[in-house]
Amino acid sequence: MSENFTIPVGPLHVALEEPMYFRIEVHGETVSKVTINAGHVHRGVEYLITKRNVFQNIVLTERICSLCSNSHPQAFAMAIEQIAGLKIPPRAEYLRTIADEIKRIASHLFNVGILAHLVGFESLFMHVMEVRERMQDVKECTFGNRMDIGANTIGGVRYDIDDERISFIRQQLSSIEKEIDELITIYSTDNSILRRTKGVGVLSQQDALDCGVVGPVARAAGIHYDVRIKAPYAAYDRLDVAVHTFQDGDVWSRAMVRLYEARTAIDIIRQSLDSLPAGPTVATDERPPIPAGEAIAKCEAPRGELIYYVRMADSPKPERVKWRVPSFLNWDALGIMLDRAKISDIAIIVNSIDPCISCTER
Amino acid sequence: MNFLKIFVRNLVNGPSTVSFPFGPAWTPARMRGRIEFKLPSCTGCRACEQVCAPGAIRFDKTPEGLRFMMWHNTCVFCGLCEFYCPTDAIHQSDDWHMAHAVDQKFSMAIRELIPYTNCSACGMKTLASAPNPVGINPPYTPEEIEQHRQLCPACRKKALAERGNPS
């Protein structure tokens, strides 16, 4: 017996603990139409940001989203540095890269862990989170906070690492490296994972291009696009960054792209630590004056390309800040991924784009 | 099957959680926790007030002097105040034990006063704040800091000019 129903999914606990409301029309067990309704975590950050000076905004942008909390201030700082004509010292470029990659490992492992949770593989979920906890320890020891690491400032970085910390990071990396290799094997061979993720939520390369998806979602659909390669920032132009692409565009490919990227991030951090130049970590010790002007900066957040537009007038407060977050584009592709999916796969598919509702609705 | 190995390994290794609050919780040395304020080092430049993102730090002019006030419950532990403080008068300790009863919420603050004094050279009313060390080479000695604390801005300039190397 197959009948048509309309079911609400969300706004709570669709996949992550972020609110997002789906109105789903189903024909029997199969999704026939999806309407996505947003706006539950709108906090008016675009308004707030024009009411604070650029230094306070480094903290505000960091708190837009906890998982990409390094990419937001980094892109914002890059835009302000362009306006002010500041050149950040080489050591700061490497330290920014290290902070970026540490956050990337933690963010990707978190998403892959949630996938295991949604598949119902709780013991694997716990294990992935335990592996991720090592990265959280690194963040806590290096930056002083588990999520909002506060690495960036206008004109450089706010943290520095000495030999003792470098050896601690290296030690954590080598322990996590083995674990991630193990996880890659599990995610590519375990039947419980494969049965629920292979061929589910497919986004073809053409659809991916049409929707303009970015980040792991694009790379899993065979699009070779990574801001770290196409428009290198920080120290990425001096490092060897491997881009991983898959052709299938299903949930499994997206999870694998994330796992391989976490693996690559370890290599990138090691390269950065090897070639870390000495010198200052900020361009200027004092607060630099910011002239009027406008700039666009972009960086590769864990979810994909993040673009910041900043316009400054004759005031320490920005006149306008607009950002294009990766989830905004990936979100649109959900309509295609969810088309003719099974009801039980909805949560898995939604999680596979690693949605960041807080970024998108800000 | 691969996971079974990990499962057994995790079983043998035991739990990786800590038993807080029944046992001690490990805290890294760089942990960004409760703000500490050292009044003698404060120059009253108000940089921390200007960069404080949530507005937890406030300076008020009172008849007695310049009052520094900082609310712990408004603080977001971003560490900008410490980063921009020229004399390290403000510092984030690794103390994260901030839970308190509601009736103590108004005592969860730092209230300190930089008092007014009379300039030891010209007698003008001035703030007894520490001198700003930015660009001072060689750095101030502790005696010089105490000496400058008793001077008004104009007399501090004069003393610096006599000192030789004000950049």
Side-chain angles (χ1 to χ4, degrees):
Chain A
M1 193 178 85
S2 60
E3 280 181 67
N4 293 323
F5 289 103
T6 302
I7 53 166
V9 177
L12 297 175
H13 290 267
V14 182
L16 301 164
E17 271 70 15
E18 280 193 291
M20 191 179 189
Y21 174 69
F22 297 86
R23 214 176 88 114
I24 292 181
E25 282 166 36
V26 290
H27 179 71
E29 278 277 299
T30 313
V31 177
S32 57
K33 191 176 173 226
V34 187
T35 319
I36 305 174
N37 200 342
H40 297 89
V41 278
H42 175 72
R43 290 153 295 167
V45 180
E46 283 189 10
Y47 174 80
L48 286 176
I49 210 163
T50 61
K51 298 290 156 196
R52 280 162 173 73
N53 64 41
V54 287
F55 305 99
Q56 292 172 308
N57 281 337
I58 281 284
V59 177
L60 182 66
T61 50
E62 187 166 46
R63 276 149 180 81
I64 290 166
C65 156
S66 64
L67 285 165
C68 7
S69 68
N70 189 52
S71 307
H72 279 278
Q74 185 170 343
F76 181 73
M78 276 155 58
I80 296 289
E81 282 152 12
Q82 266 183 50
I83 294 174
L86 283 171
K87 173 108 182 62
I88 69 166
R91 189 177 176 87
E93 289 180 338
Y94 277 86
L95 289 174
R96 275 191 182 175
T97 311
I98 292 169
D100 212 20
E101 294 303 320
I102 287 176
K103 283 293 288 187
R104 196 181 313 278
I105 297 176
S107 175
H108 281 348
L109 286 179
F110 180 74
N111 179 263
V112 170
I114 296 288
L115 171 69
H117 164 67
L118 293 170
V119 164
F121 202 157
E122 295 299 332
S123 42
L124 179 59
F125 161 66
M126 293 299 231
H127 179 69
V128 178
M129 292 306 263
E130 195 185 331
V131 175
R132 173 178 179 266
E133 196 58 32
R134 308 256 171 82
M135 233 48 230
Q136 297 295 83
D137 285 348
V138 169
K139 284 194 241 169
E140 228 177 334
C141 292
T142 318
F143 310 102
N145 195 307
R146 288 166 57 87
M147 293 310 285
D148 295 322
I149 59 176
N152 294 286
T153 185
I154 312 269
V157 288
R158 269 158 58 192
Y159 78 105
D160 202 359
I161 43 177
D162 49 16
D163 289 340
E164 193 191 332
R165 282 207 170 68
I166 289 176
S167 68
F168 174 71
I169 294 174
R170 281 187 195 280
Q171 175 207 329
Q172 292 290 86
L173 285 180
S174 41
S175 85
I176 204 175
E177 184 182 23
K178 276 183 251 133
E179 308 264 15
I180 290 180
D181 284 341
E182 231 170 32
L183 286 177
I184 290 176
T185 319
I186 291 171
Y187 276 83
S188 44
T189 56
D190 193 279
N191 267 328
S192 325
I193 299 283
L194 292 180
R195 266 202 306 266
R196 291 298 304 277
T197 56
K198 275 265 188 191
V200 172
V202 175
L203 184 73
S204 67
Q205 187 169 5
Q206 191 54 48
D207 286 337
L209 286 170
D210 290 347
C211 292
V213 293
V214 289
V217 181
R219 292 192 280 275
I223 298 172
H224 192 276
Y225 184 83
D226 191 319
V227 181
R228 293 176 290 173
I229 303 288
K230 299 281 179 190
Y233 55 97
Y236 287 112
D237 53 347
R238 277 146 279 170
L239 301 170
D240 179 26
V241 183
V243 178
H244 303 280
T245 52
F246 277 71
Q247 298 305 319
D248 299 346
D250 55 1
V251 172
W252 181 78
S253 307
R254 294 194 268 277
M256 291 316 281
V257 166
R258 293 202 175 94
L259 280 171
Y260 279 113
E261 276 184 11
R263 183 69 184 70
T264 306
I266 295 177
D267 292 336
I268 297 174
I269 298 172
R270 283 209 182 114
Q271 289 176 42
S272 313
L273 291 175
D274 288 340
S275 47
L276 188 66
T281 55
V282 278
T284 149
D285 277 337
E286 288 172 68
R287 283 170 293 157
I290 314 294
E294 56 183 355
I296 292 176
K298 60 179 178 178
C299 71
E300 180 80 14
R303 279 150 198 75
E305 182 186 44
L306 172 72
I307 305 178
Y308 259 72
Y309 166 78
V310 181
R311 187 167 74 223
M312 298 291 298
D314 294 325
S315 151
K317 296 168 184 172
E319 193 174 63
R320 175 85 174 111
V321 180
K322 167 91 177 82
W323 48 108
R324 213 287 317 276
V325 299
S327 295
F328 180 68
L329 299 162
N330 296 348
W331 182 324
D332 199 39
L334 271 182
I336 296 167
M337 294 180 201
L338 286 171
D339 191 36
R340 286 195 294 280
K342 294 275 174 265
I343 292 178
S344 54
D345 290 336
I346 291 173
I348 292 176
I349 295 170
V350 171
N351 178 65
S352 77
I353 68 156
D354 206 355
C356 185
I357 324 284
S358 304
C359 286
T360 317
E361 295 178 353
R362 57 243 183 197
Chain B
M1 281 316 276
N2 282 311
F3 188 74
L4 224 52
K5 267 194 285 180
I6 295 175
F7 186 77
V8 171
R9 196 175 69 210
N10 284 350
L11 211 62
V12 172
N13 288 346
S16 48
T17 47
V18 293
S19 58
F20 185 80
F22 305 107
W26 169 77
T27 307
R30 276 200 189 178
M31 169 85 196
R32 300 203 310 261
R34 182 195 286 262
I35 297 285
E36 281 169 356
F37 180 66
K38 283 181 285 191
L39 181 67
S41 309
C42 182
T43 66
C45 69
R46 302 172 80 152
C48 50
E49 185 189 31
Q50 284 154 26
V51 298
C52 182
I57 298 175
R58 217 173 81 187
F59 280 92
D60 289 307
K61 278 189 180 141
T62 66
E64 294 80 37
L66 187 65
R67 188 176 66 159
F68 170 89
M69 188 153 72
M70 188 264 153
W71 290 96
H72 290 300
N73 285 345
T74 314
C75 179
V76 296
F77 309 103
C78 64
L80 276 184
C81 48
E82 179 176 352
F83 182 75
Y84 285 111
C85 183
T87 54
D88 298 325
I90 202 156
H91 167 69
Q92 269 191 299
S93 67
D94 62 356
D95 176 17
W96 48 272
H97 300 277
M98 307 285 283
H100 59 89
V102 172
D103 59 1
Q104 282 159 20
K105 70 177 174 185
F106 293 113
S107 61
M108 289 294 284
I110 303 173
R111 295 179 184 87
E112 297 272 14
L113 186 83
I114 307 173
Y116 281 124
T117 181
N118 290 324
C119 174
S120 59
C122 67
M124 209 179 82
K125 188 169 127 180
T126 184
L127 274 179
S129 58
N132 193 333
V134 174
I136 304 296
N137 193 24
Y140 285 119
T141 61
E143 295 79 47
E144 276 180 311
I145 290 177
E146 287 318 306
Q147 196 191 337
H148 280 238
R149 190 189 299 284
Q150 303 303 324
L151 294 176
C152 71
C155 296
R156 282 186 193 184
K157 252 188 203 160
K158 220 157 84 189
L160 265 181
E162 284 161 15
R163 189 174 185 263
N165 198 1
S167 56

